[in-house]
């Protein structure tokens, strides 16, 4: 799976609404965050609680520029929960935590403005 971070790229080609519905984006609360020194690029290992139905999932996230492990605990984030797990070194990343690049390409997390129930699906 290749994820592009090119903010100058044009819009992606049109897709059908059903294609959008196939991407399962959920909100969860970060319950644990730790450094990931083995990663090629600076990253954290996150444990995210997606509520009683999905439970907790792990994610590797390259978000070290704006966030500390301590500040991430309790923060709600959005993540794609239906990609296949991805092996990153010895760590299995189960979800893709979502963010946008700032002007310098550093990742800024996607979060709801108001606390919402964990596990809620983006629509």
């Amino acid at each position: 799976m290749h994820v592009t971070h090119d903010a100058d790229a044009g819009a992606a080609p049109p897709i059908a609404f059903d294609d959008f519905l196939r991407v399962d984006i959920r909100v969860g609360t970060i319950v644990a965050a730790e450094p990931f020194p083995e990663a090629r690029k600076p990253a954290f290992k996150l444990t995210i609680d997606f509520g009683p139905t999905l439970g907790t999932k792990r994610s590797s996230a390259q978000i070290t520029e704006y966030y500390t492990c301590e500040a991430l605990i309790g923060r709600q984030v959005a993540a794609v929960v239906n990609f296949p797990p991805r092996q990153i070194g010895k760590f299995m990343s189960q979800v893709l935590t979502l963010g946008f690049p700032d002007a310098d390409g550093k990742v800024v997390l996607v979060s709801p403005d108001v606390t919402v129930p964990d596990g809620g699906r983006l629509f």
Side-chain angles (χ1 to χ4, degrees):
M1 170 177 63
H2 175 72
V3 178
T4 181
H5 299 287
D6 187 358
D8 295 326
I15 61 171
F17 188 70
D18 286 347
D19 291 333
F20 169 73
L21 292 176
R22 292 178 57 210
V23 181
D24 193 354
I25 300 172
R26 304 283 180 131
V27 66
T29 299
I30 298 172
V31 295
E34 58 188 285
F36 190 4
E38 307 88 355
R40 284 182 296 178
K41 294 182 180 178
F44 294 135
K45 296 177 188 176
L46 306 177
T47 303
I48 306 168
D49 183 357
F50 290 98
T53 302
L54 295 176
T56 59
K57 304 286 183 185
R58 310 262 341 253
S59 180
S60 169
Q62 296 173 2
I63 56 172
T64 60
E65 294 287 339
Y66 287 117
Y67 308 97
T68 64
C69 289
E70 297 79 19
L72 288 167
I73 305 301
R75 181 185 183 98
Q76 286 195 304
V77 294
V80 176
V81 299
N82 65 332
F83 283 143
R86 185 172 181 196
Q87 188 78 39
I88 302 172
K90 295 180 180 181
F91 182 77
M92 185 63 74
S93 187
Q94 300 169 298
V95 300
L96 175 64
T97 304
L98 299 175
F100 289 106
D102 71 3
D104 297 320
K106 299 171 187 163
V107 179
V108 178
L109 290 169
V110 174
S111 299
D113 289 341
V114 177
T115 302
V116 296
D118 288 329
R121 186 168 181 176
L122 180 78
F123 59 83

